[in-house]
Amino acid sequence: MQVKVTCTLNLTDGMADVNRLEEAVFKLGLKFMAELMARALAALDEQSEKVCPDCSAQEPVSDGTALYQLRTRFGTVPIKRRQYRCKGCGRAFRPLDKVLSRAGPGRATQGLAKLAVLAAASWPFGTAARVINQLCGAEVSPEWVRQVAESEGKAQAEQTREVALSVIESRAGVEPLTESWQLLVELDGCWVKSRDNPEGMECKVGVVASGKEQTGKERFKLTDRRYAATFLGVEVFGPLVYVEAAELGIEGAEEVVVLGDGADWIDTVACRYFPGSERRLDVWHLLKRCREAVRAERLEPGEAGKLMSELSKLLWCGQVGEALRVVRARLKSQVGLEFAGYLQNQRSWIVNAQQLKARGEVVGSGAVEKAADIVVSRRFKRRGMSWRRAGAEAIVALRADILNQAAA
């Protein structure tokens, strides 16, 4: 069976501009594709078997047509379906419905639905609807985009969690990338506005990398990165991070390094899902806490600078015991006392950053902060946005999946 449609473009004086010509070709192309789609479906309708789906009678009576508006990537296509009525059971049926049953929400093709998912993962729903229209001519509403994206995102999140739990149970990873290599896991949290909680809600974000390349004298960029993110807490987040580590071959890694800012939940994830890993406290976060503690003492500028310099040298070299002695002797404010407790609690995470950095090792959490920006902030922290947890979880699952597919 063949379906033919002819297409003619009338060139006018106004089309001497390549941009105007492109616009004319684009509009004609949309019309051409819609007509071809309609004729193809009409041909399928004509050749379909006229069998009653209830009693299997094969000699129904024609009962007119029923209009169906099919939404495609190139616009809405009106289709007149042939309708029949069974002589035996009296039921009305439309043979073409078997073909159209594969259309998704809102009578849209899978192609248009996938486009909606990609757009919604990148832009607000209203913007996504406008982008879709400008790119391919399809007219969709922001609400339809939201419904399709959240439905797909929910399914994606559930599937990812099931895979993660399966991998956790079996602890089965893929083949290692090399015979001897280091796997880096960086973890952090990112807060967004919530409709349910005035304090907001936290999205836990992780980036896993199996390599790095030098971009400057003392600067490196992580390579072979994969992302994990969820608004559902540690119990969900831990397996998600581990499965991304498994994708990079964690079972064959010579060394696993977990890096974070010292939050309790990061320690929980490291202990539960990456036992035996080397833990590193983000050195920049550590020095920031130190500056805040010194500033709270309200010392003279020269004295404060000298004390900060002394503590920085000790902390950079991982000399926690000596740094604690200085802090306890010199810092008497409440902030200073809290910093002393922080150093004591984080002692096992504080490393010799100076030595590691000289070897080209990662000692800061810049990669996961960038990941939080890419995965969360650019989509969820636009002006005026406020989220419910279920919707946010669906969209962040889509964003993480899209980024991981791009990195594969």
Side-chain angles (χ1 to χ4, degrees), residues 92 115 154 238 248 254 265 344 372:
L115 184 58
K154 181 181 178 182
L248 294 180
E254 181 181 274
W265 68 265
Q344 185 62 48

Side-chain angles (χ1 to χ4, degrees), residues 96-166:
L96 192 60
D97 283 354
K98 185 176 181 180
V99 176
L100 298 173
S101 64
R102 299 298 298 273
R107 296 183 173 182
T109 61
Q110 290 183 358
L112 181 58
K114 288 180 180 179
L115 184 58
V117 167
L118 288 172
S122 302
W123 298 291
F125 303 123
T127 303
R130 291 194 298 273
V131 168
I132 292 171
N133 180 255
Q134 292 174 5
L135 286 178
C136 64
E139 294 185 0
V140 296
S141 69
E143 177 59 19
W144 180 81
V145 172
R146 182 193 68 79
Q147 291 177 4
V148 170
E150 289 189 0
S151 176
E152 179 66 23
K154 181 181 178 182
Q156 178 64 50
E158 291 176 352
Q159 180 183 8
T160 303
R161 288 196 292 270
E162 290 176 2
V163 171
L165 291 175
S166 175

Side-chain angles (χ1 to χ4, degrees), residues 137-372:
E139 294 185 0
V140 296
S141 69
E143 177 59 19
W144 180 81
V145 172
R146 182 193 68 79
Q147 291 177 4
V148 170
E150 289 189 0
S151 176
E152 179 66 23
K154 181 181 178 182
Q156 178 64 50
E158 291 176 352
Q159 180 183 8
T160 303
R161 288 196 292 270
E162 290 176 2
V163 171
L165 291 175
S166 175
V167 171
I168 285 291
E169 290 176 1
S170 62
R171 281 295 199 272
V174 297
E175 291 298 319
L177 301 179
T178 61
E179 294 182 359
S180 176
W181 58 286
Q182 180 190 83
L183 185 75
L184 181 67
V185 182
E186 293 194 18
L187 310 175
D188 200 3
C190 181
W191 286 81
V192 303
K193 290 183 179 180
S194 169
R195 295 186 184 182
D196 305 315
N197 185 351
E199 296 181 357
M201 58 183 176
E202 184 183 38
C203 182
K204 290 175 169 47
V205 182
V207 58
V208 185
S210 60
K212 60 180 180 293
E213 61 183 33
Q214 192 164 359
T215 59
K217 186 176 181 180
E218 295 183 348
R219 295 180 65 86
F220 292 84
K221 179 178 73 173
L222 298 183
T223 58
D224 300 318
R225 285 178 289 184
R226 297 189 65 83
Y227 302 94
T230 182
F231 286 91
L232 300 184
V234 171
E235 295 300 325
V236 172
F237 181 66
L240 294 183
V241 177
Y242 183 86
V243 77
E244 299 308 332
E247 284 291 330
L248 294 180
I250 187 174
E251 302 299 332
E254 181 181 274
E255 180 183 29
V256 178
V257 174
V258 178
L259 197 150
D261 63 7
D264 290 341
W265 68 265
I266 293 179
D267 187 59
T268 299
V269 172
C271 293
R272 187 177 302 175
Y273 299 99
F274 302 97
S277 61
E278 178 187 336
R279 290 82 186 274
R280 296 178 186 173
L281 183 66
D282 169 36
V283 68
W284 312 115
H285 184 84
L286 173 60
L287 295 178
K288 178 184 177 182
R289 292 287 297 263
C290 183
R291 281 193 296 272
E292 291 172 351
V294 171
R295 191 180 299 119
E297 295 298 316
R298 300 186 181 280
L299 303 172
E300 293 295 325
E303 185 180 358
K306 184 177 180 181
L307 178 58
M308 184 62 204
S309 178
E310 180 182 1
L311 286 172
S312 294
K313 291 178 180 178
L314 292 172
L315 294 174
W316 257 103
C317 296
Q319 299 180 26
V320 186
E322 185 62 22
L324 264 172
R325 185 189 65 77
V326 175
V327 168
R328 288 167 176 164
R330 303 287 299 280
L331 305 184
K332 303 300 181 181
S333 68
Q334 182 61 35
V335 178
L337 295 176
E338 291 174 357
F339 181 59
Y342 175 80
L343 288 179
Q344 185 62 48
N345 292 335
Q346 301 294 330
R347 194 163 191 164
S348 62
W349 283 72
I350 299 175
V351 296
N352 189 335
Q354 185 178 49
Q355 185 180 76
L356 290 171
K357 192 172 179 63
R359 297 205 310 254
E361 295 283 335
V362 177
V363 296
S365 58
V368 73
E369 290 174 3
K370 185 63 176 178

Side-chain angles (χ1 to χ4, degrees), residues 68-115:
Y68 185 98
Q69 301 282 354
L70 179 65
R71 304 164 83 179
T72 73
R73 281 177 285 180
F74 38 84
T76 300
V77 180
I79 302 163
K80 292 184 178 180
R81 298 167 292 169
R82 294 172 181 266
Q83 182 167 290
Y84 298 88
R85 189 168 298 278
C86 179
K87 293 180 180 180
C89 65
R91 173 177 174 174
F93 64 94
R94 295 174 289 272
L96 192 60
D97 283 354
K98 185 176 181 180
V99 176
L100 298 173
S101 64
R102 299 298 298 273
R107 296 183 173 182
T109 61
Q110 290 183 358
L112 181 58
K114 288 180 180 179
L115 184 58

Side-chain angles (χ1 to χ4, degrees), residues 386-405:
S386 184
W387 295 81
R388 295 196 187 280
R389 193 174 298 276
E393 180 67 10
I395 299 301
V396 83
L398 293 177
R399 286 185 68 80
D401 182 61
I402 290 169
L403 287 167
N404 287 335
Q405 286 186 40

